[in-house]
């Protein structure tokens, strides 16, 4: 008699060419559904559109509930393995209009602008998150109803008394590599139970696709582990670090000789649109951007070299070499990467004050 684990790990390639496509869209409330496809596929345009009940997700009225899924990017499925795939989709009305929560459509328009395409924008996104005990919604490794010792020994730590949830983090790292995500590293964060993974450098809209799929994989792994992942920017009030999604950015001109001057002009533009960016950089960010715990105050824009208390940080290597990239430290951990990456490109490359 087969065990449940045997069936979960069943290799379908021995008996059929059919594959399973797990199809989903973006949003912190991530969801997905699966369908069978007649054979292996690597091009999203070869997949059919599909639909779901938008009235059950708060995205459509009951009397006209169909929302249409357009496949946009394909990744290998680390859960089913074989030729099975994960498919990143965005959502439209039956008439072909993007629904209000579809942030990818507007981002794709910006990233397809010739002025943006020519500059080949690179992004490296540092996604922070917190692992919570399922039934009490309190960070893993913390005593229920109590607190661990103060911050200091936990950042990049090892040891059972300082590092909590490494099995989940390492599983996620390897699953992302398997899926084809350009994940570039992981580390434990300043608050115990909090971790970070980095995606990039990735070009244009692919950075946001990869962050969403990496978040999806993390949700699935924590589901298996019986742990809850939180992208709240300040999960624990008080003298504890919040969670962000620092976004590193460069263009072709910034990476070439004389790029430091281009970087400074781009930062000046970002400062002029500070309020607009803050309003789009994640919900609850005012609880995180206080001017403490390695943040600048939400109402203040400032930049500096190697300054982790700034809105924009420029690395020492960039200053020394006269070219490179900068880091926008303002985005919250729950930000929409389509919105943030495209807005940075729009402000620095297309917007004229």
């Amino acid at each position: 008699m087969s065990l449940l684990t045997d069936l979960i790990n069943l290799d379908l390639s021995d008996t059929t060419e059919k594959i399973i496509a797990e199809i989903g869209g973006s949003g912190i409330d991530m969801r997905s559904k699966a369908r069978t496809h007649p054979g292996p596929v690597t091009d999203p345009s070869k997949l059919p559109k599909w639909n779901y009940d938008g009235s059950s997700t708060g995205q459509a009225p009951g009397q006209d509930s169909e929302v249409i899924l357009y496949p946009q990017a394909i990744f290998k499925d680390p859960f089913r393995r074989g030729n099975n795939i994960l498919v990143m989709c965005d959502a439209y009305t039956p008439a072909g209009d993007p629904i209000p929560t579809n942030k990818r459509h507007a981002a794709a328009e910006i990233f397809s602008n010739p002025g943006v395409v020519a500059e080949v924008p690179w992004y490296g996104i540092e996604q922070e998150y917190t692992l919570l005990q399922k039934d009490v919604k309190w960070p893993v490794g913390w005593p229920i109803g109590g607190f661990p010792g103060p911050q200091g020994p936990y950042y990049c730590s090892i040891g059972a008394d300082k590092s909590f949830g490494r099995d989940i983090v390492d599983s996620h790292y390897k699953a992302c590599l398997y899926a084809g995500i350009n994940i570039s590293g992981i580390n434990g964060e300043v608050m115990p139970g909090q971790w970070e993974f980095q995606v990039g450098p990735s070009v244009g809209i692919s950075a946001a696709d990869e962050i969403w799929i990496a978040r999806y994989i993390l949700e699935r792994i924590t589901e298996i582990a019986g742990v809850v992942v939180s992208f709240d920017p300040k999960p624990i009030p008080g003298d504890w670090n919040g969670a962000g999604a620092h976004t590193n950015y460069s263009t072709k001109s910034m990476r070439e000789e004389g790029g430091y001057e281009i970087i400074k002009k781009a930062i000046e533009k970002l400062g002029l649109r500070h309020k607009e960016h803050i309003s789009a950089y994640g919900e609850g960010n005012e609880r995180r951007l206080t001017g403490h715990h390695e943040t600048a105050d939400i109402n203040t824009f400032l930049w500096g070299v190697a300054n982790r208390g700034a809105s924009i940080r420029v690395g020492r290597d960039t200053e020394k070499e006269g070219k490179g990239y900068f880091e926008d430290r303002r985005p919250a951990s729950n930000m929409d990467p389509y919105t943030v990456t495209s807005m940075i490109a729009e402000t620095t490359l297309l917007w004229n004050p």
Side-chain angles (χ1 to χ4, degrees), residues 18-350:
K18 293 180 179 179
I19 65 159
I20 301 171
E22 188 75 28
I23 297 175
S26 66
I28 288 297
D29 177 20
M30 286 180 279
R31 307 189 188 211
S32 68
K33 58 193 295 189
R35 71 177 300 168
T36 304
H37 194 267
V41 60
T42 57
D43 182 353
S45 67
K46 303 298 183 184
L47 289 167
K49 295 173 185 174
W50 208 13
N51 67 76
Y52 66 92
D53 173 15
S55 68
S56 294
T57 62
Q59 293 172 302
Q63 64 271 22
D64 187 14
S65 64
E66 278 196 4
V67 176
I68 313 302
L69 290 166
Y70 288 32
Q72 299 291 359
I74 289 175
F75 298 84
K76 293 173 66 178
D77 186 341
F79 303 101
R80 294 188 176 104
R81 298 187 287 277
N83 290 321
N84 302 301
I85 54 177
L86 302 177
V87 185
M88 186 68 207
C89 301
D90 56 355
Y92 296 80
T93 67
D97 300 316
I99 66 171
T101 54
N102 179 354
K103 307 302 181 185
R104 193 185 193 280
H105 179 81
E109 290 185 338
I110 291 171
F111 283 118
S112 63
N113 184 291
V116 176
V117 172
E119 282 292 341
V120 196
W122 289 1
Y123 297 90
I125 301 175
E126 306 169 28
Q127 176 67 70
E128 295 178 339
Y129 61 93
T130 308
L131 298 175
L132 305 177
Q133 301 170 60
K134 186 178 65 156
D135 296 326
V136 293
K137 301 297 175 66
W138 199 239
V140 296
W142 290 38
I144 296 175
F147 295 86
Q151 294 183 155
Y154 308 108
Y155 175 66
C156 295
S157 65
I158 60 172
D161 59 339
K162 295 183 289 291
S163 180
F164 312 115
R166 190 183 298 275
D167 52 345
I168 292 170
V169 175
D170 225 34
S171 298
H172 176 251
Y173 195 174
K174 292 177 180 178
C176 285
L177 287 171
Y178 179 94
I181 294 167
N182 189 24
I183 186 170
S184 48
I186 58 168
N187 61 267
E189 268 303 330
V190 177
M191 188 183 85
Q194 192 178 83
W195 292 82
E196 172 185 300
F197 66 87
Q198 303 96 32
V199 165
S202 299
V203 178
I205 203 166
S206 64
D209 286 338
E210 291 179 8
I211 280 287
W212 274 123
I213 293 295
R215 286 174 173 177
Y216 172 83
I217 291 172
L218 181 58
E219 287 267 18
R220 289 282 305 274
I221 289 172
T222 53
E223 172 191 325
I224 294 167
V227 170
V228 174
V229 59
S230 171
F231 296 105
D232 189 285
K234 186 71 173 178
I236 305 296
D239 194 17
W240 303 98
N241 273 37
H246 302 155
T247 301
N248 299 274
Y249 171 71
S250 71
T251 63
K252 184 173 181 287
S253 297
M254 294 176 190
R255 297 187 292 269
E256 295 175 345
E257 294 302 322
Y260 194 35
E261 293 304 312
I262 305 295
I263 287 171
K264 288 192 284 188
K265 289 176 183 177
I267 293 173
E268 182 181 357
K269 283 185 171 184
L270 289 169
L272 294 173
R273 295 191 74 196
H274 177 62
K275 289 185 178 179
E276 292 93 328
H277 278 256
I278 286 294
S279 68
Y281 273 17
E283 295 182 12
N285 213 9
E286 71 283 351
R287 293 182 282 117
R288 167 180 163 263
L289 297 180
T290 61
H292 304 288
H293 303 108
E294 302 181 57
T295 69
D297 181 83
I298 194 168
N299 297 309
T300 303
F301 181 87
L302 61 98
W303 74 278
V305 176
N307 183 359
R308 283 182 161 76
S311 311
I312 304 290
R313 181 185 68 86
V314 175
R316 289 282 182 205
D317 287 346
T318 294
E319 180 190 43
K320 181 180 178 180
E321 295 175 12
K323 59 183 179 180
Y325 70 97
F326 64 82
E327 174 193 42
D328 191 339
R329 296 179 61 81
R330 297 171 295 173
S333 50
N334 60 7
M335 63 86 165
D336 190 313
Y338 293 127
T339 300
V340 169
T341 56
S342 62
M343 195 172 192
I344 292 173
E346 181 185 36
T347 296
T348 59
L349 296 173
L350 303 179

